[in-house]
Structure formats: structure tokens, C-alpha cells
Amino acid sequence: MTVRMARWSAEHPWRAIALWVVFVAVCFVGGNAAGLKEATAQDDAIGEAGRAYVMIDEGGFADEPAVDNVLITARTGKLDTAAAQKAAADATAKLSSVTGVAEVGKPIPANDGSALLVPITMSGDPESASDRVEPLRAATAEVQQAHPDLRVEQVGGPSIGKALDDTLGEDFKRAELLSLPVTLAILILVFGALIAAGVPVLLALSSVAAAMGLSTLASHLIPSTDVTASVILLIGMAVGVDYSLFYVRREREERAKGRGHVDAVEIAAETSGHAVVVSGTAVVIAMAGLFLAGDSTFSSLAVGSILVVAVAVLGSLTVLPAILAKLGRWVDRPRVPFVWRLTARNSGSGSRFWRAILYPALRWPAATLIVSVLALLALAAPALNMNLKFPGTEDLPRTTPAMQAYDRLTASYPSNGTNHLVAVTAPAGSAGAVSSALTRLSESTQGDPLFAPLEQSGPDIEVSPDKTVTVLHVATPFSSRSDQAADSLHRLRSDLVPAALDGVPGVTYAVGGDVANNEDYAKHIWQTLPIVAGVVLLLTFLMMAWTFRSIVVALTSILLNLLSVGAAYGLLVLVFQGSWAPDLLNFTSMDAIVSWLPLFLFVVLFGLSMDYHVFVVSRIREAVLRGVPTRAAVAEGITGSAGTVSSAALVMVAVFSIFATLSTIDMKQLGIGLAAAILLDATIIRAVVLPSAMTLLGKANWWAPRFMRPRGRHTASAVVTPPTPEPELVGHH
């Protein structure tokens, strides 16, 4: 099939290119026209915290207006109350006349007298408040200039959102600006020619554009989340460049042997094209495992990833052969001086380098395998102590004045920090009894060090318009991922809430909030990870066994990828749960791994690692099918593919490393985890563990039950098993 598609595209290049352009345009424009459907509270409901949010959503509460604050504190020593009151009066007068301000509340003194807080209610859509907060910040800056002895600063959801949008927006802009030239620079070093370097990037970008449109259409079946587009870009660039790289390198290799353009394209389709299909299928299988998590975020990521991989595979089988056939030898123009001469050598220092790397695995396979596997297991061992938590407000970068002000706000007003949400549903006639019970619950937390003291206004209780849902906010002075905050949650769930609501008829309750999200989501991940991993491993095993007609190859593929993922997990724990890396990598340790990362990393790494594995094993099998002995076939397959695999891995590591420079801890962990895992996989796994294992197994690599063995000459065992006739015996037959 891959050969037929490639042949048609190569013989009708303009038609193939035109069809691809139309396909990408229709997907992109159609997706934008259909609009994006985002996940709701019901879609995101996980555990008891999820049930609490669903109750609140079903209560029909009116959207609360956005509230920002002016915080007045002393620069040094004790706050001068009279000066603070004067500054608060100035802030009230100035902000009352600012467009977008609905109301300025009365100043609220902190219980310990360390601060004065002026609440500001904003008008308009609360979702866009951070986009409209700049005039408020400007007015507050004027008040600060008028009162230099005090610290007068804007703090609250909208101002923090604006500051983070600016910081993170600059981060992502820098990452996008760096990733494309870095990818191009690496590909220029790989190919030594500008057009050859540009072709993989062009295919990857067009695949991402088409997948973006298709994912928008798919969101009407499976709602999308905020991170879907970023993951499509990340995965699309990775696999798009990889698949094109495999294909272009093979086509150039065949042309260098003297084959014509169409013949070279057909051979590339039969070999690398087939490997691309198998690799893409492996990635799709891995990503499909995310559907089993029962989580709208993972389902959305699965849809986006599957679509971009499928589009990239389609492009590499259709438009890529057309472009290569149309360009012919022009694909090697314009050449980059010196770099071209290095890349044009099909043998030489590169091959000698990889032969030297392979020598221990081929000469002493058993010892090399034992040492390398033990080293990877030692690296994976720290993963046994992995902690999972969501990053909280305390993990956001403190480089912005808004976050520094937030720390001062929560120190003076603890109830503005971490809050538990106690959601209660009951018949409307019981609303009074529920409110009384929740008031007693709130008062019972006073004096307990796990909970923050109440503000002067009393318990924070809200009742829905139909009086069937009541919500209590219970504050804790600790960060959302601290042990003390978790203890306060457990106290509420196991003791305080059941005791307070005991005797109120017809109640249903759930405790949510940031702390509950942490606890419930981590539990959800640990419960679903074995299920997802088991199904992905089983389906990948079956696919690899059928593709290579070998149970042993399929089994070693699974084991090697598990080693790679385990080592990546261990490395993440060493870096982000340790104390040696924060200063080096510029982050504040949260002593945990971001909750969603292990499951997502597993499927991404399992899929991307299989790319390299399929490509390398396919080259080894090609040699075996020609009758080359296993040891020599391993050497030929790995040295022949090492340049391509190393180049593809270098692109991925470079792009993922750029993500590790972002300010947020989740992006740092994702970038470092992916970069380290790909590096380990392309070096130790593929150049040490794989060759030593396959050399040690020998002919057993290709064992399969009789029903799986293909008929005819295209079977590794059929080529290797028959003995070669001795020359002197030929004449006697």
C-alpha cells in the first residue's frame, strides 16, 4: 500500500501536492468555522472534589463579579494606621472614577493590624477581567507615588492573571521563536542543504495546521481543554519532523546508490514508509490508552495527539513522495559549504564512531546487557518514591510584583489563600437548617491550627437561587499541596462535615477545592495508570508481533520501552523531588511531580520511543532477510540508522529542552522529562541494550508460532535457517 501510494504521488506530483494543500485548508478553515467546544465542570469531575464542583454548577449560582484589591502595608516595621487609612481613602476616591470599576468597598483591616485591604468590584465579564485591569493598576500606582512611605499595590485574581499572562506569554513566545530556528539549524547540519532541511519542517507545520482544525471539529464530540493545542503542536512537530527525516534520509541514500528519483522514492516508501506506518500506529495505540483514564483532559489530549499523528503519517505517504519526486536532486540545493561535505559521506567517521560504540554489545553481549540494564534500573529506582501533586499558587514564578503582593496578602489575610469548598444539596425547605449546620461547622474550626481564623464578616456561606445548594468556604493558612492542608481536608471529610450535617434530612455533600483536587486527582492517576499501561502494552505487543512476525521482537520492544519510561520517571524524581537542581535549573522545588505528568509521559514516551525502535529493527530485519547473520545484521542495521535516529532525537531533545526553560513548574517537568527520556532512548537503549539483547538472542529473535509465520521468502527465519552450501560440494549434487 505504501509503495502504491508513493508511486502514484511520485508520478502525479502536482495533483498530490494540490490535494494536500486543499486537505489542510479545508481542515483548518472548517475547524475554525465550527468553533471550539470546551469541557465543562461535569466533564472534568474527578472524585469527591469533582462532585462538589458539579453540585455548585447545578446550583445555578450567578456569576460572581471579578474582585481585585488594593493592599496597603508598611515598608518596614509596624503599619501606621492613620497613614494607611489616608492612603485607602485616596485609593477609594481615585479608583471609583476608573472605567470598569463597579464598586469600591470599605477598607478591611487585618486581624493582626499588619495591613489594610480595599476590595474593588469590577464590572463586565469576569472571564475577561484580567484584560481590563490595567487602568486599575495605573490608578494604584498613582496612589503609591502619593504615599511613598507605605507599600500600596494591586493584588487579586485579575491583576495576578494579567501579570502571569504577560510573563507566560513572553515565555511561550520565546519558546516558539527559538524552536523553529533550532529545528531548522539541526536539520541543516543533518542534510547539509537548505531545501532538504525545510521539507520536514514544512510537512510538520502543515500537519499541525490540519490537526488543529480537525481537533476543533472533534471537540463537539469530545470537549477540548486549554492544553490540547499546545500538545498538538508539541507532538505534531516531533513526529512530523521524525517521519519526514526517516523518509528523506532513505530516499537520499538510495539516490546515492545510483537509483532514479521514482525508484528511490518507491524504495523509501517500502522501507521507511512502512516503518512510519508501524510507528504511527504504535503512537496512536499509546495515545488511545488515555481514553481509559475517564478524564476529559486526557481524552482531549488523546484526540489531538491521534489526529496530528494520523495526519503526519498520511502526509509522509502522499505529499512527501510527490515533493521529493518533483524536486529530484534539487532537494540537495542550495548546499551549505563544509556541512554538505560532511553529511555527503555515506561512510567514514560516523560509521566508525557507531561501530566503536557497538563493539562491547557485539563482542560481549551478555555482560553489556546486564551492566546497561542494571544501570537503567538504578536510575529508575527513585521513581518508587514519586509523589504526585498539582502545582499551586505558591509554585508560580515570584518574579512579578503581583505574586510578591499575593504573598503579603495571604500572610495578613489567611482566608484569601487556600480554601476548601463544602457543597451541600438538600430540599429547599431545609436551606435554613443547612446554613445553620454549616455556620456551626465554620465556628468549630476556630482555634484549630489547621484552619484560618474567620474574618470579621463571619462564615462565608452562599445559597443558590432555588435554595437547594449551599456552599461554605473554609480557609486553611497552609499552601494547597502542604501536608497540613491535606490534614485539614481529611479532618473535614472524615469528621467535621459528617458531624455537622448529621440529622439534617435529605442532604448530599462533597468537599472540594484546590487541596481536594490534589488528593483526588493523584488517587485517580494511581488507579488508572496500571489500567492504561496494561492495555497499551498488550495492544502494542500484538501490533509489533504481527508486524515483525516475531513474539521475541515484540516482547523485547515492550521491555526496552518500559526501561526507557522507568528511567525517565526516576530522573524526574531525582531532579524535581531532590534539593540539588532548583538553583541549577531555576525553579522552586515542590517536592512532587505534577499529578497529570506520569500518565501523559508514559503514553507519549511509549509512542515516540517506538518510532526509533521500529525504524532500527526494520533495518536489522532488512539485513536478516538478505541472509546476513544476526550479529552482522545488528551492526549493519544500527550503524545504517544511527545517523537518522540521532538526528531525529537531537531535534526532539532540543525542542523539549526549550520547554524546560519556561517559568511554570509543570512545563519544566514536561520538557526535562521528555528531553531526558528521548536522549536515553536514542543512546543507551538503542545503541547498547538493543544490540546486546538481539546479538545474545541470535536466531531466536525471529521466533513465532506457526500461524504467525508469513508464507514465501519474506521471513527472517526462512532466510537464516537453511545452511549455506559449501562450494566444494556443489558439484556432487
Side-chain angles (χ1 to χ4, degrees):
M1 180 189 69
T2 58
V3 175
R4 286 198 299 271
M5 292 173 70
R7 182 184 296 120
W8 186 90
S9 297
E11 291 174 350
H12 308 87
W14 287 120
R15 293 184 192 176
I17 293 170
L19 286 173
W20 178 255
V21 171
V22 170
F23 168 73
V24 172
V26 168
C27 291
F28 189 74
V29 174
N32 286 335
L36 184 69
K37 181 182 178 183
E38 296 185 351
T40 63
Q42 285 85 350
D43 297 316
D44 290 330
I46 298 293
E48 184 174 341
R51 294 199 303 274
Y53 289 124
V54 171
M55 289 180 186
I56 295 171
D57 189 62
E58 291 176 346
F61 289 89
D63 289 338
E64 293 189 2
V67 176
D68 219 63
N69 305 279
V70 174
L71 179 68
I72 303 170
T73 55
R75 290 192 177 276
T76 57
K78 188 177 180 180
L79 179 67
D80 184 335
T81 305
Q85 289 286 356
K86 188 171 186 252
D90 288 351
T92 300
K94 190 169 288 291
L95 285 160
S96 296
S97 61
V98 173
T99 302
V101 173
E103 180 185 2
V104 179
K106 293 181 179 180
I108 304 170
N111 288 338
D112 60 0
S114 63
L116 199 61
L117 190 70
V118 181
I120 307 164
T121 302
M122 296 181 64
S123 59
D125 183 3
E127 295 295 326
S128 63
S130 60
D131 299 327
R132 297 179 284 106
V133 78
E134 194 56 42
L136 283 70
R137 296 170 69 184
T140 302
E142 292 178 10
V143 177
Q144 172 65 86
Q145 289 178 352
H147 300 271
D149 295 336
L150 298 172
R151 184 186 286 112
V152 182
E153 49 198 345
Q154 193 85 23
V155 60
S159 55
I160 290 175
K162 171 65 175 173
L164 289 178
D165 285 346
D166 291 344
T167 301
L168 301 182
E170 289 298 320
D171 273 359
F172 280 104
K173 192 178 295 181
R174 186 178 69 253
E176 291 170 0
L177 290 175
L178 282 174
S179 59
L180 193 58
V182 165
T183 301
L184 274 173
I186 294 172
L187 291 174
I188 288 171
L189 291 176
V190 170
F191 290 114
L194 296 182
I195 293 178
V199 167
V201 174
L202 185 63
L203 179 65
L205 289 174
S206 62
S207 299
V208 168
M212 290 279 194
L214 290 173
S215 70
T216 303
L217 290 170
S219 70
H220 293 273
L221 296 175
I222 299 177
S224 183
T225 60
D226 294 339
V227 295
T228 304
S230 299
V231 169
I232 289 175
L233 178 61
L234 194 70
I235 301 298
M237 290 302 295
V239 298
V241 169
D242 265 16
Y243 296 162
S244 302
L245 193 59
F246 295 162
Y247 209 107
V248 175
R249 285 287 291 251
R250 187 57 183 260
E251 189 267 349
R252 291 180 78 198
E253 183 181 320
E254 296 303 325
R255 276 196 295 106
K257 295 176 182 177
R259 302 187 189 277
H261 304 316
V262 175
D263 290 339
V265 167
E266 286 191 10
I267 294 172
E270 187 176 9
T271 53
S272 293
H274 180 261
V276 164
V277 172
V278 176
S279 299
T281 306
V283 178
V284 167
I285 287 174
M287 294 299 177
L290 290 175
F291 287 121
L292 300 174
D295 181 338
S296 65
T297 299
F298 284 132
S299 296
S300 174
L301 295 180
V303 169
S305 302
I306 289 171
L307 287 173
V308 77
V309 170
V311 172
V313 170
L314 180 64
S316 67
L317 297 181
T318 55
V319 71
L320 184 57
I323 292 173
L324 293 177
K326 192 64 185 173
L327 287 172
R329 296 194 178 276
W330 276 99
V331 76
D332 296 328
R333 304 286 194 278
R335 298 174 179 178
V336 181
F338 180 71
V339 176
W340 167 259
R341 290 196 296 274
L342 290 177
T343 59
R345 298 174 186 172
N346 293 315
S347 61
S349 60
S351 297
R352 288 196 296 272
F353 171 78
W354 284 106
R355 288 193 185 99
I357 295 293
L358 282 174
Y359 182 77
L362 301 178
R363 181 69 178 81
W364 305 288
T368 303
L369 182 63
I370 291 171
V371 171
S372 56
V373 168
L374 288 177
L376 289 169
L377 289 175
L379 185 57
L384 297 174
N385 297 318
M386 182 184 291
N387 298 319
L388 297 183
K389 291 187 183 296
F390 272 131
T393 310
E394 63 273 19
D395 300 305
L396 294 171
R398 256 50 186 179
T399 54
T400 60
M403 292 311 304
Q404 296 164 10
Y406 175 80
D407 290 338
R408 287 186 279 270
L409 173 69
T410 54
S412 298
Y413 301 86
S415 62
N416 282 277
T418 304
N419 276 271
H420 303 291
L421 301 176
V422 181
V424 182
T425 61
S430 300
V434 171
S435 293
S436 298
L438 293 181
T439 300
R440 291 193 298 272
L441 165 61
S442 180
E443 292 171 348
S444 71
T445 63
Q446 298 309 288
D448 189 329
L450 291 177
F451 299 96
L454 286 174
E455 297 296 338
Q456 295 177 354
S457 57
D460 186 355
I461 297 177
E462 298 175 78
V463 182
S464 65
D466 63 359
K467 301 189 181 303
T468 60
V469 181
T470 308
V471 180
L472 169 68
H473 297 255
V474 182
T476 176
F478 304 103
S479 67
S480 61
R481 55 176 174 74
S482 65
D483 292 338
Q484 297 94 328
D487 290 341
S488 68
L489 172 70
H490 300 154
R491 178 83 58 85
L492 282 172
R493 284 181 168 177
S494 63
D495 182 18
L496 297 180
V497 175
L501 295 173
D502 185 33
V504 181
V507 297
T508 304
Y509 60 84
V511 181
D514 290 342
V515 185
N517 285 343
N518 262 330
E519 296 287 304
D520 294 351
Y521 204 80
K523 182 179 179 182
H524 170 70
I525 292 296
W526 287 127
Q527 288 175 341
T528 55
L529 182 57
I531 299 171
V532 173
V535 172
V536 169
L537 292 176
L538 176 62
L539 293 178
T540 304
F541 174 82
L542 294 175
M543 185 206 70
M544 293 295 288
W546 190 255
T547 298
F548 290 102
R549 298 295 197 268
S550 168
I551 295 294
V552 178
V553 166
L555 187 59
T556 54
S557 303
I558 297 297
L559 294 176
L560 293 187
N561 277 13
L562 284 176
L563 268 178
S564 177
V565 172
Y569 282 176
L571 192 62
L572 269 180
V573 172
L574 281 175
V575 172
F576 290 100
Q577 288 185 205
S579 57
W580 62 273
D583 292 337
L584 182 65
L585 298 174
N586 190 30
F587 70 91
T588 301
S589 175
M590 58 184 285
D591 295 321
I593 305 303
V594 176
S595 297
W596 54 267
L597 204 56
L599 183 56
F600 184 67
L601 268 182
F602 175 83
V603 296
V604 171
L605 293 178
F606 210 85
L608 296 183
S609 296
M610 199 61 74
D611 273 1
Y612 303 144
H613 191 82
V614 168
F615 189 71
V616 173
V617 174
S618 295
R619 293 297 291 262
I620 294 172
R621 188 168 179 265
E622 283 181 44
V624 171
L625 288 170
R626 297 198 311 269
V628 178
T630 300
R631 189 186 301 265
V634 169
E636 179 183 326
I638 291 182
T639 55
S641 61
T644 304
V645 170
S646 301
S647 304
L650 186 59
V651 171
M652 282 198 192
V653 170
V655 172
F656 294 153
S657 297
I658 291 171
F659 275 79
T661 66
L662 301 183
S663 300
T664 55
I665 191 67
D666 50 355
M667 287 295 105
K668 280 186 181 293
Q669 291 189 3
L670 178 63
I672 289 175
L674 288 172
I678 295 298
L679 187 61
L680 285 171
D681 192 80
T683 53
I684 297 177
I685 297 290
R686 304 303 159 207
V688 180
V689 181
L690 175 64
S692 58
M694 293 193 76
T695 300
L696 195 63
L697 289 168
K699 295 178 182 179
N701 281 298
W702 315 108
W703 181 85
R706 185 177 298 276
F707 74 89
M708 287 181 58
R709 298 174 189 170
R711 297 178 181 179
R713 62 186 183 86
H714 294 291
T715 166
S717 58
V719 174
V720 176
T721 304
T724 304
E726 297 292 337
E728 64 269 23
L729 298 179
V730 173
H732 293 285
H733 289 285

